[in-house]
Amino acid sequence: MNNMLKNTLKLIPSTLGICSNIMFQQLRTRWVDCRMIRDFKRRKCVVEYADERLRLRTILKNKVLPVAIREDARAMIMELPRNSHPYRTTYRCALTSRPRGNVKPFRMSRIVWRDLADHNRLSGVQRAMW
Amino acid sequence: MQSITSARLCNQFRSMCRFPGRNRSQIVRYFSDDDSQKNKEAEVKVKKDTPIEEKSEQKASAALKLSNLLQAIIQDDLTMKSEKENLKLSTAKNKKGSFKKVVTAAEYQLGKEMADAIVGVSKELEGDKEQIKADLIDKVASMKAPVAEHILEAPVKEQDAAPKEPVNFSDLIGGMTVEKIAKARPQVKTDTQYSRAGRVRGNIKDKVDDEPILSSRRRRFAPDEPSVRAGLEESVPLGIFSDPASLRKAEPLLPIWEQMHQRDLQLAVMYPPSNIYEEMISWTNQGKLWKFPIDNEQGWEREQNVPFSEHIFLDKHLQDWCPKKGPVRHFMELVCIGLSKNPHFTVEEKKEHILGYKNYFAGKSQLLKELGAV
């Protein structure tokens, strides 16, 4: 069916201004949308600065070291890029990029999770009955 | 025009039948008995009285050679024709319902000699004689008349004392019948044949190979015999590759393709498990099941050979640089205690953390001195 449509579209000349490359099948790449890509970039940044951040945080939050050093550490940690903050990341659904209503261990939105669970695609997941 | 004998006519008709594409001039030439006309192409007039004698000699020799060559070609041609005439070549059999032309009255104006020739040719050649006669008459008639006119207008020779026979060739055409063009009558179709299923069946019949599958498959997959039998070691090598052994180590252009190919090879040898025991064995090998005796660290390949003491006793990393007393030492000892209790870091990562602190404090040494912490 799709092939037929594609073949008929090929006959339309491009001079008419009609795009003959219309996708009739779902485009499936690694990223569902731009928000997902942005989230991925933030996560990469977080990983890059994670060690530095950890050390500075420990210096910041302890009560043993003098205050001046702690202040200095605080200034340094503020200079780090914004995307290195881990709380800028969102736990999106891996299949639909839904920001809310996600089942964390499965990294999926509740809707997709339910769909897969009903079709027996999730290991160890069963309909609750008691 | 010169006289034409019936025998010659026979020969010429035969050649004409074989090569229907001959043009009129060629046919006229073949009809003629004049040898000079035939060898006209062969004659090359040599130039005389040239200024330079050597040039003229060369040209003469060249011309002679050319003439000899052309004569040889013509001789060959003639001999080939004579040989061909002796051969008994098979003719195409008339198919059912072949078109048979109605011989018109105009074509009767050919003359007795022509008619005799036609009869002679049809007798000698194999195949449907009536058809041959009709073809020949058609051919001669299509040449339009110079022959026919000449024959008709020629002065009566001693041989042909009697007046010419009338137009009708009863003996020539007596055997012929004018057959109607066989029309392909449409077959009466039943309801099933008209239906879509019937049409599909018809299409399938046309396309499907009726031979048994096995033999066709064998034919398809059997390797063809090489047309040229070449030995691998016979000819001299080209010498394009200086080190052929290194080529095998080259990385594949399509790495995933290679991986899939390797996987295919493995799967070709492997068979699915025949019972549950084999299945569980395969799972164990894959790492999905616990191995006996149970090892809590099954699957942890990162730090197999590292002893636990390296994880716990981290004070040795503080020996070089850390001061013995003060808030810095206090802080670093806390760090070491925390790291020793952390099972998730590797030893290298813990070392790197401690080094990181060392670098940080080294950078803040002036500030620490001011504060009096060092």
Side-chain angles (χ1 to χ4, degrees):
Chain A
M1 177 63 186
N2 283 333
N3 279 329
M4 267 169 60
L5 283 167
K6 276 184 186 171
N7 287 333
T8 52
L9 280 172
K10 274 175 193 171
L11 297 170
I12 299 164
S14 58
T15 51
L16 285 177
I18 300 165
C19 176
S20 58
N21 293 339
I22 297 165
M23 302 297 282
F24 279 94
Q25 285 177 335
Q26 189 187 19
L27 182 67
R28 288 180 192 172
T29 58
R30 212 187 180 101
W31 317 116
V32 177
D33 55 6
C34 54
R35 283 171 235 107
M36 208 186 222
I37 297 165
R38 270 187 266 144
D39 186 58
F40 176 70
K41 282 179 190 169
R42 279 177 212 130
R43 280 169 191 272
K44 272 206 298 186
C45 202
V46 166
V47 166
E48 203 187 320
Y49 290 95
D51 291 339
E52 228 177 292
R53 239 195 145 72
L54 172 71
R55 284 162 215 160
L56 288 168
R57 240 171 60 231
T58 51
I59 291 165
L60 243 180
K61 301 207 170 181
N62 84 92
K63 294 171 184 177
V64 173
L65 289 168
V67 179
I69 288 170
R70 275 188 255 162
E71 295 280 338
D72 190 62
R74 190 177 170 197
M76 279 183 80
I77 211 170
M78 303 265 273
E79 284 169 20
L80 290 176
R82 250 185 218 186
N83 280 343
S84 62
H85 288 70
Y87 50 81
R88 282 186 126 234
T89 57
T90 45
Y91 290 93
R92 302 189 90 89
C93 169
L95 297 172
T96 54
S97 183
R98 199 164 193 271
R100 297 197 175 102
N102 294 317
V103 184
K104 250 195 198 174
F106 293 87
R107 300 187 197 173
M108 278 192 285
S109 84
R110 56 178 175 80
I111 303 149
V112 179
W113 187 90
R114 187 166 180 271
D115 188 54
L116 290 174
D118 285 344
H119 288 92
N120 197 23
R121 301 270 178 263
L122 299 177
S123 168
V125 176
Q126 198 187 7
R127 283 235 150 215
M129 253 196 312
W130 71 97
Chain B
M1 269 291 202
Q2 291 78 13
S3 65
I4 301 158
T5 57
S6 61
R8 195 160 187 77
L9 267 173
C10 283
N11 291 338
Q12 302 315 333
F13 277 130
R14 262 194 224 106
S15 67
M16 234 163 49
C17 284
R18 293 262 157 64
F19 308 104
R22 288 276 170 95
N23 57 30
R24 247 214 90 234
S25 61
Q26 282 176 325
I27 292 161
V28 163
R29 215 185 309 136
Y30 276 118
F31 271 102
S32 67
D33 285 329
D34 193 8
D35 291 327
S36 67
Q37 209 174 5
K38 272 199 175 176
N39 295 333
K40 208 177 177 180
E41 320 154 15
E43 283 175 4
V44 179
K45 287 174 185 173
V46 180
K47 279 186 184 174
K48 292 174 187 173
D49 302 326
T50 50
I52 304 161
E53 282 187 19
E54 284 179 355
K55 242 190 181 178
S56 69
E57 277 182 344
Q58 276 181 357
K59 280 191 178 177
S61 65
L64 262 175
K65 281 181 188 171
L66 184 63
S67 68
N68 288 336
L69 179 65
L70 286 165
Q71 278 195 14
I73 289 164
I74 287 156
Q75 285 296 320
D76 281 341
D77 211 6
L78 288 172
T79 51
M80 271 209 12
K81 280 206 189 79
S82 63
E83 277 168 16
K84 271 185 188 173
E85 284 150 13
N86 297 331
L87 291 169
K88 277 189 182 178
L89 298 171
S90 65
T91 55
K93 291 175 187 173
N94 283 329
K95 289 179 188 173
K96 199 179 179 182
S98 63
F99 179 69
K100 288 197 179 177
K101 200 180 170 185
V102 177
V103 183
T104 58
E107 289 162 15
Y108 293 174
Q109 306 267 352
L110 295 175
K112 194 181 187 302
E113 282 174 345
M114 193 68 83
D116 286 338
I118 287 165
V119 169
V121 166
S122 65
K123 276 180 187 171
E124 285 184 47
L125 287 173
E126 288 173 6
D128 188 16
K129 289 172 186 176
E130 277 72 39
Q131 186 61 32
I132 290 163
K133 279 182 205 168
D135 287 340
L136 286 170
I137 288 162
D138 190 26
K139 281 273 180 220
V140 173
S142 67
M143 275 166 20
K144 275 203 178 176
V147 175
E149 279 172 9
H150 170 75
I151 292 162
L152 291 169
E153 290 163 18
V156 176
K157 291 178 186 172
E158 293 169 27
Q159 294 165 346
D160 303 328
K164 290 219 165 170
E165 286 192 6
V167 167
N168 53 339
F169 290 50
S170 56
D171 58 349
L172 185 70
I173 293 155
M176 285 198 244
T177 53
V178 176
E179 285 190 16
K180 289 176 189 172
I181 299 162
K183 285 183 186 175
R185 284 187 185 174
Q187 294 165 4
V188 176
K189 285 189 181 174
T190 58
D191 284 337
T192 50
Q193 279 179 313
Y194 271 125
S195 69
R196 188 184 163 76
R199 273 184 277 142
V200 168
R201 259 181 243 123
N203 288 339
I204 288 164
K205 258 191 183 177
D206 296 334
K207 287 176 189 174
V208 160
D209 195 13
D210 287 331
E211 285 175 70
I213 292 163
L214 285 170
S215 68
S216 68
R217 272 204 186 141
R218 244 179 256 146
R219 273 195 293 114
R220 252 179 257 152
F221 295 135
D224 297 330
E225 280 185 21
S227 56
V228 175
R229 294 214 174 263
L232 285 169
E233 306 291 329
E234 280 170 10
S235 57
V236 177
L238 289 167
I240 294 166
F241 301 110
S242 57
D243 187 16
S246 68
L247 287 173
R248 275 168 216 145
K249 291 172 198 169
E251 273 182 34
L253 291 170
L254 305 165
I256 291 169
W257 194 276
E258 280 293 322
Q259 285 171 20
M260 290 294 110
H261 182 58
Q262 291 299 321
R263 186 169 167 273
D264 279 343
L265 291 173
Q266 283 172 6
L267 288 172
V269 180
M270 274 161 55
Y271 292 92
S274 59
N275 51 41
I276 187 66
Y277 298 112
E278 285 189 18
E279 204 177 10
M280 288 177 84
I281 289 164
S282 69
W283 284 342
T284 312
N285 291 332
Q286 286 167 25
K288 290 179 182 175
L289 283 180
W290 288 105
K291 285 173 189 163
F292 291 99
I294 299 283
D295 176 24
N296 279 329
E297 288 170 11
Q298 183 179 316
W300 285 11
E301 286 169 26
R302 263 201 322 180
E303 297 216 293
Q304 283 272 343
N305 300 321
V306 175
F308 74 97
S309 57
E310 295 218 15
H311 279 271
I312 292 164
F313 302 118
L314 298 164
D315 283 341
K316 59 185 175 184
H317 302 295
L318 303 175
Q319 276 173 2
D320 296 335
W321 60 278
C322 201
K324 302 276 166 79
K325 284 183 181 178
V328 174
R329 180 82 196 191
H330 187 32
F331 174 74
M332 286 313 300
E333 279 179 358
L334 286 171
V335 164
C336 290
I337 290 161
L339 281 174
S340 66
K341 292 183 181 179
N342 191 327
H344 302 292
F345 285 135
T346 59
V347 174
E348 281 78 27
E349 281 170 358
K350 291 179 185 178
K351 279 185 202 171
E352 274 174 31
H353 272 296
I354 292 165
L355 267 175
Y357 284 118
K358 174 189 171 184
N359 294 331
Y360 176 79
F361 287 124
K364 308 288 168 186
S365 59
Q366 202 180 10
L367 180 62
L368 286 167
K369 273 176 191 170
E370 285 172 22
L371 294 166
V374 178

mmCIF file of all heavy atoms in Angstrom, chain A residues 33-55:
data_model
loop_
_atom_site.group_PDB
_atom_site.id
_atom_site.type_symbol
_atom_site.label_atom_id
_atom_site.label_comp_id
_atom_site.label_asym_id
_atom_site.label_seq_id
_atom_site.Cartn_x
_atom_site.Cartn_y
_atom_site.Cartn_z
ATOM 1 N N ASP A 33 12.167 13.658 20.114
ATOM 2 C CA ASP A 33 11.996 15.069 19.796
ATOM 3 C C ASP A 33 13.201 15.871 20.302
ATOM 4 O O ASP A 33 14.115 15.334 20.923
ATOM 5 C CB ASP A 33 10.681 15.604 20.372
ATOM 6 C CG ASP A 33 10.590 15.358 21.873
ATOM 7 O OD1 ASP A 33 11.574 14.882 22.460
ATOM 8 O OD2 ASP A 33 9.532 15.620 22.448
ATOM 9 N N CYS A 34 13.166 17.170 20.082
ATOM 10 C CA CYS A 34 14.304 18.022 20.426
ATOM 11 C C CYS A 34 14.527 18.081 21.923
ATOM 12 O O CYS A 34 15.664 18.237 22.396
ATOM 13 C CB CYS A 34 14.092 19.415 19.862
ATOM 14 S SG CYS A 34 12.541 20.133 20.363
ATOM 15 N N ARG A 35 13.452 17.992 22.697
ATOM 16 C CA ARG A 35 13.582 18.059 24.160
ATOM 17 C C ARG A 35 14.414 16.894 24.666
ATOM 18 O O ARG A 35 15.204 17.018 25.599
ATOM 19 C CB ARG A 35 12.200 18.045 24.810
ATOM 20 C CG ARG A 35 11.508 19.392 24.705
ATOM 21 C CD ARG A 35 10.061 19.295 25.155
ATOM 22 N NE ARG A 35 9.164 19.787 24.129
ATOM 23 C CZ ARG A 35 8.375 19.030 23.372
ATOM 24 N NH1 ARG A 35 8.333 17.728 23.530
ATOM 25 N NH2 ARG A 35 7.614 19.581 22.459
ATOM 26 N N MET A 36 14.223 15.773 23.996
ATOM 27 C CA MET A 36 14.993 14.592 24.384
ATOM 28 C C MET A 36 16.469 14.808 24.089
ATOM 29 O O MET A 36 17.351 14.427 24.863
ATOM 30 C CB MET A 36 14.470 13.394 23.592
ATOM 31 C CG MET A 36 14.648 12.077 24.273
ATOM 32 S SD MET A 36 14.153 10.779 23.166
ATOM 33 C CE MET A 36 13.295 9.766 24.308
ATOM 34 N N ILE A 37 16.752 15.432 22.947
ATOM 35 C CA ILE A 37 18.139 15.686 22.551
ATOM 36 C C ILE A 37 18.773 16.658 23.536
ATOM 37 O O ILE A 37 19.927 16.486 23.959
ATOM 38 C CB ILE A 37 18.209 16.245 21.115
ATOM 39 C CG1 ILE A 37 17.675 15.217 20.119
ATOM 40 C CG2 ILE A 37 19.620 16.629 20.750
ATOM 41 C CD1 ILE A 37 17.360 15.778 18.761
ATOM 42 N N ARG A 38 18.053 17.686 23.909
ATOM 43 C CA ARG A 38 18.580 18.667 24.870
ATOM 44 C C ARG A 38 18.865 17.998 26.195
ATOM 45 O O ARG A 38 19.878 18.276 26.854
ATOM 46 C CB ARG A 38 17.574 19.797 25.051
ATOM 47 C CG ARG A 38 17.773 20.941 24.076
ATOM 48 C CD ARG A 38 16.877 22.095 24.405
ATOM 49 N NE ARG A 38 15.638 22.040 23.657
ATOM 50 C CZ ARG A 38 14.435 22.410 24.123
ATOM 51 N NH1 ARG A 38 14.299 22.836 25.346
ATOM 52 N NH2 ARG A 38 13.381 22.329 23.355
ATOM 53 N N ASP A 39 17.961 17.128 26.628
ATOM 54 C CA ASP A 39 18.160 16.401 27.880
ATOM 55 C C ASP A 39 19.416 15.537 27.820
ATOM 56 O O ASP A 39 20.181 15.458 28.788
ATOM 57 C CB ASP A 39 16.931 15.526 28.157
ATOM 58 C CG ASP A 39 17.018 14.852 29.505
ATOM 59 O OD1 ASP A 39 17.145 15.579 30.511
ATOM 60 O OD2 ASP A 39 16.996 13.613 29.555
ATOM 61 N N PHE A 40 19.613 14.929 26.676
ATOM 62 C CA PHE A 40 20.804 14.097 26.505
ATOM 63 C C PHE A 40 22.080 14.941 26.586
ATOM 64 O O PHE A 40 23.069 14.535 27.222
ATOM 65 C CB PHE A 40 20.728 13.376 25.164
ATOM 66 C CG PHE A 40 21.932 12.565 24.850
ATOM 67 C CD1 PHE A 40 22.204 11.405 25.561
ATOM 68 C CD2 PHE A 40 22.808 12.952 23.865
ATOM 69 C CE1 PHE A 40 23.323 10.652 25.275
ATOM 70 C CE2 PHE A 40 23.929 12.196 23.571
ATOM 71 C CZ PHE A 40 24.185 11.054 24.273
ATOM 72 N N LYS A 41 22.059 16.121 25.992
ATOM 73 C CA LYS A 41 23.248 16.998 26.045
ATOM 74 C C LYS A 41 23.532 17.415 27.474
ATOM 75 O O LYS A 41 24.690 17.478 27.910
ATOM 76 C CB LYS A 41 23.009 18.234 25.185
ATOM 77 C CG LYS A 41 23.167 17.978 23.711
ATOM 78 C CD LYS A 41 22.884 19.243 22.918
ATOM 79 C CE LYS A 41 22.814 18.921 21.446
ATOM 80 N NZ LYS A 41 22.297 20.040 20.650
ATOM 81 N N ARG A 42 22.484 17.688 28.236
ATOM 82 C CA ARG A 42 22.682 18.078 29.645
ATOM 83 C C ARG A 42 23.284 16.929 30.417
ATOM 84 O O ARG A 42 24.165 17.128 31.269
ATOM 85 C CB ARG A 42 21.344 18.475 30.261
ATOM 86 C CG ARG A 42 20.950 19.891 29.922
ATOM 87 C CD ARG A 42 19.588 20.243 30.473
ATOM 88 N NE ARG A 42 18.936 21.185 29.613
ATOM 89 C CZ ARG A 42 17.697 21.086 29.129
ATOM 90 N NH1 ARG A 42 16.952 20.045 29.438
ATOM 91 N NH2 ARG A 42 17.205 22.015 28.346
ATOM 92 N N ARG A 43 22.816 15.758 30.139
ATOM 93 C CA ARG A 43 23.341 14.591 30.865
ATOM 94 C C ARG A 43 24.819 14.368 30.563
ATOM 95 O O ARG A 43 25.597 13.998 31.435
ATOM 96 C CB ARG A 43 22.547 13.342 30.493
ATOM 97 C CG ARG A 43 21.250 13.237 31.216
ATOM 98 C CD ARG A 43 20.354 12.139 30.653
ATOM 99 N NE ARG A 43 19.036 12.263 31.218
ATOM 100 C CZ ARG A 43 18.632 11.701 32.370
ATOM 101 N NH1 ARG A 43 19.470 10.973 33.062
ATOM 102 N NH2 ARG A 43 17.407 11.892 32.812
ATOM 103 N N LYS A 44 25.184 14.611 29.306
ATOM 104 C CA LYS A 44 26.600 14.477 28.941
ATOM 105 C C LYS A 44 27.456 15.468 29.717
ATOM 106 O O LYS A 44 28.554 15.142 30.182
ATOM 107 C CB LYS A 44 26.774 14.730 27.439
ATOM 108 C CG LYS A 44 26.604 13.492 26.608
ATOM 109 C CD LYS A 44 27.339 13.537 25.284
ATOM 110 C CE LYS A 44 26.868 14.639 24.396
ATOM 111 N NZ LYS A 44 27.491 14.595 23.056
ATOM 112 N N CYS A 45 26.957 16.670 29.848
ATOM 113 C CA CYS A 45 27.677 17.707 30.600
ATOM 114 C C CYS A 45 27.791 17.323 32.061
ATOM 115 O O CYS A 45 28.825 17.552 32.704
ATOM 116 C CB CYS A 45 26.939 19.035 30.442
ATOM 117 S SG CYS A 45 27.945 20.468 30.747
ATOM 118 N N VAL A 46 26.732 16.778 32.599
ATOM 119 C CA VAL A 46 26.728 16.349 34.002
ATOM 120 C C VAL A 46 27.818 15.311 34.237
ATOM 121 O O VAL A 46 28.569 15.392 35.221
ATOM 122 C CB VAL A 46 25.340 15.781 34.372
ATOM 123 C CG1 VAL A 46 25.387 15.032 35.685
ATOM 124 C CG2 VAL A 46 24.305 16.880 34.430
ATOM 125 N N VAL A 47 27.904 14.368 33.314
ATOM 126 C CA VAL A 47 28.923 13.318 33.469
ATOM 127 C C VAL A 47 30.317 13.927 33.410
ATOM 128 O O VAL A 47 31.223 13.529 34.143
ATOM 129 C CB VAL A 47 28.723 12.259 32.367
ATOM 130 C CG1 VAL A 47 29.921 11.341 32.265
ATOM 131 C CG2 VAL A 47 27.478 11.461 32.626
ATOM 132 N N GLU A 48 30.494 14.907 32.543
ATOM 133 C CA GLU A 48 31.823 15.504 32.343
ATOM 134 C C GLU A 48 32.323 16.186 33.620
ATOM 135 O O GLU A 48 33.483 16.074 33.996
ATOM 136 C CB GLU A 48 31.722 16.521 31.212
ATOM 137 C CG GLU A 48 33.024 16.819 30.527
ATOM 138 C CD GLU A 48 32.870 17.963 29.530
ATOM 139 O OE1 GLU A 48 31.829 18.006 28.824
ATOM 140 O OE2 GLU A 48 33.769 18.810 29.481
ATOM 141 N N TYR A 49 31.436 16.892 34.278
ATOM 142 C CA TYR A 49 31.846 17.670 35.461
ATOM 143 C C TYR A 49 31.485 17.001 36.777
ATOM 144 O O TYR A 49 31.542 17.631 37.828
ATOM 145 C CB TYR A 49 31.182 19.052 35.401
ATOM 146 C CG TYR A 49 31.746 19.923 34.317
ATOM 147 C CD1 TYR A 49 31.128 19.997 33.065
ATOM 148 C CD2 TYR A 49 32.895 20.669 34.540
ATOM 149 C CE1 TYR A 49 31.645 20.798 32.067
ATOM 150 C CE2 TYR A 49 33.419 21.482 33.546
ATOM 151 C CZ TYR A 49 32.787 21.537 32.312
ATOM 152 O OH TYR A 49 33.308 22.336 31.336
ATOM 153 N N ALA A 50 31.109 15.761 36.738
ATOM 154 C CA ALA A 50 30.601 15.094 37.939
ATOM 155 C C ALA A 50 31.656 15.009 39.045
ATOM 156 O O ALA A 50 31.371 15.340 40.212
ATOM 157 C CB ALA A 50 30.095 13.705 37.571
ATOM 158 N N ASP A 51 32.867 14.605 38.701
ATOM 159 C CA ASP A 51 33.908 14.446 39.735
ATOM 160 C C ASP A 51 34.247 15.785 40.385
ATOM 161 O O ASP A 51 34.329 15.910 41.622
ATOM 162 C CB ASP A 51 35.165 13.837 39.118
ATOM 163 C CG ASP A 51 34.953 12.390 38.716
ATOM 164 O OD1 ASP A 51 34.023 11.757 39.255
ATOM 165 O OD2 ASP A 51 35.707 11.887 37.860
ATOM 166 N N GLU A 52 34.451 16.775 39.510
ATOM 167 C CA GLU A 52 34.796 18.113 40.015
ATOM 168 C C GLU A 52 33.711 18.630 40.958
ATOM 169 O O GLU A 52 33.993 19.186 42.030
ATOM 170 C CB GLU A 52 34.921 19.060 38.830
ATOM 171 C CG GLU A 52 36.159 19.913 38.835
ATOM 172 C CD GLU A 52 36.236 20.775 37.592
ATOM 173 O OE1 GLU A 52 36.430 20.221 36.490
ATOM 174 O OE2 GLU A 52 36.051 22.001 37.742
ATOM 175 N N ARG A 53 32.519 18.432 40.556
ATOM 176 C CA ARG A 53 31.371 18.893 41.320
ATOM 177 C C ARG A 53 31.289 18.202 42.666
ATOM 178 O O ARG A 53 30.997 18.839 43.692
ATOM 179 C CB ARG A 53 30.101 18.577 40.521
ATOM 180 C CG ARG A 53 29.314 19.769 40.215
ATOM 181 C CD ARG A 53 27.934 19.388 39.770
ATOM 182 N NE ARG A 53 27.022 20.376 40.245
ATOM 183 C CZ ARG A 53 26.942 21.616 39.748
ATOM 184 N NH1 ARG A 53 27.694 21.970 38.747
ATOM 185 N NH2 ARG A 53 26.108 22.479 40.278
ATOM 186 N N LEU A 54 31.541 16.910 42.641
ATOM 187 C CA LEU A 54 31.487 16.127 43.881
ATOM 188 C C LEU A 54 32.498 16.656 44.900
ATOM 189 O O LEU A 54 32.188 16.874 46.084
ATOM 190 C CB LEU A 54 31.732 14.665 43.553
ATOM 191 C CG LEU A 54 31.904 13.708 44.730
ATOM 192 C CD1 LEU A 54 30.598 13.507 45.453
ATOM 193 C CD2 LEU A 54 32.443 12.362 44.263
ATOM 194 N N ARG A 55 33.714 16.879 44.439
ATOM 195 C CA ARG A 55 34.771 17.354 45.362
ATOM 196 C C ARG A 55 34.425 18.732 45.920
ATOM 197 O O ARG A 55 34.561 18.997 47.133
ATOM 198 C CB ARG A 55 36.111 17.409 44.629
ATOM 199 C CG ARG A 55 36.727 16.050 44.423
ATOM 200 C CD ARG A 55 37.792 16.083 43.343
ATOM 201 N NE ARG A 55 37.790 14.838 42.594
ATOM 202 C CZ ARG A 55 38.308 14.700 41.386
ATOM 203 N NH1 ARG A 55 38.849 15.717 40.760
ATOM 204 N NH2 ARG A 55 38.280 13.526 40.799
#
